[in-house]
Amino acid sequence: MPLRDELPPRTGPWASRFDSEEALVQADDVLRAAALANHDLAPILLFEEVYGPLLNSAGKATAIAIDPEEPYGPDGEINYVYADFLKSGLVYGVYRPASTAGPAGPEREDELWNTTLYPYPGGAVDPTTVPLAEFGLDVPGVDRRFVHFCAGVLGVEAVDDLGILRDTFDQAWPDYRETVRAGLLHVVQNRPLSPQQWYGLTYVAFPDQQELTLYLAQVYAYLFDGFEAMPLAPQ
């Protein structure tokens, strides 16, 4: 299993950060509570759900990117743009069950280990509201948590940590494991998601449908069938 520090660097369109330790801790507290309440290892919340009314979101996070419409200014310098979290902001958390969690899954906050936590501007796809039908995921056994799993666990900021999650994934809530299992089987067998839709959700680009399907089949085998090699998403 490759370790994260052995993998090449991976970046999404935005470089983002929390602006203070207090903002990070507040986000972790709210996301951890959501993870426990909803049986969701990859909770995603709107900024106002974490920090309250929109004006309270000021000064909580920064995201910077190269302007896709005008990458260079008149002087030839790179033209950077900043995200406006007051208009569109999401906070992602990726957790894994502690080794002490029982067969029913984590029941207390100390039975969830943080894998990563990050703010991100709203993109082409909002994983908290996109209709399941838009991705062909409105099928029995699949719910919103599978969209969060794809966007968070398999998204650009956390996909290289899949090996960390796998070690205790068997101790996740049974209903959570079932929706992830059903979702992965559905997308592998029926291919409802195009590479373009996958990129809009995860910011991980696959060259074609076949490569995406093969990767998701490997994720299924890795989490549920004892496949030993961690699937590697393209850089």
Side-chain angles (χ1 to χ4, degrees):
M1 180 192 310
L3 301 175
R4 182 171 184 176
D5 58 9
E6 295 173 343
L7 294 166
R10 181 190 302 279
T11 58
W14 295 92
S16 67
R17 70 177 189 195
F18 290 102
D19 287 344
S20 67
E21 183 72 18
E22 291 78 12
L24 185 152
V25 170
Q26 185 175 352
D28 187 29
D29 287 345
V30 177
L31 285 166
R32 190 180 295 268
L36 284 173
N38 300 324
H39 290 186
D40 188 353
L41 291 181
I44 305 171
L45 296 176
L46 299 174
F47 244 58
E48 54 264 37
E49 294 179 278
V50 175
Y51 298 115
L54 286 179
L55 290 180
N56 292 345
S57 299
K60 298 298 192 297
T62 298
I64 187 172
I66 298 174
D67 189 338
E69 296 182 1
E70 190 177 347
Y72 296 97
D75 56 1
E77 295 295 318
I78 296 176
N79 191 20
Y80 290 104
V81 293
Y82 287 86
D84 184 355
F85 281 106
L86 294 179
K87 291 182 179 178
S88 177
L90 299 168
V91 184
Y92 289 69
V94 178
Y95 296 90
R96 60 193 189 277
S99 58
T100 54
E107 297 179 348
R108 306 185 311 271
E109 290 188 359
D110 62 358
E111 290 182 332
L112 280 177
W113 289 334
N114 178 266
T115 300
T116 191
L117 189 75
Y118 57 94
Y120 222 72
V125 175
D126 181 350
T128 69
T129 61
V130 63
L132 297 184
E134 186 171 318
F135 285 163
L137 297 177
D138 54 339
V139 295
V142 178
D143 59 39
R144 175 70 51 185
R145 293 174 297 173
F146 180 66
V147 179
H148 289 182
F149 172 83
C150 295
V153 176
L154 302 183
V156 69
E157 297 287 339
V159 65
D160 294 335
D161 292 325
L162 190 60
I164 301 175
L165 170 64
R166 190 260 189 100
D167 290 344
T168 56
F169 190 68
D170 285 347
Q171 292 165 272
W173 306 279
D175 60 306
Y176 179 77
R177 284 173 44 82
E178 179 55 29
T179 195
V180 172
R181 185 197 68 80
L184 287 171
L185 274 179
H186 174 65
V187 295
V188 169
Q189 293 173 348
N190 299 293
R191 304 187 177 195
L193 281 162
S194 70
Q196 292 76 24
Q197 288 175 310
W198 186 261
Y199 180 81
L201 184 62
T202 66
Y203 294 118
V204 177
F206 282 83
D208 54 45
Q209 186 75 55
Q210 182 64 25
E211 290 295 323
L212 173 59
T213 301
L214 176 60
Y215 170 74
L216 293 173
Q218 291 173 338
V219 171
Y220 179 90
Y222 185 65
L223 292 178
F224 294 100
D225 284 344
F227 185 68
E228 286 301 321
M230 189 182 93
L232 297 181
Q235 296 298 319

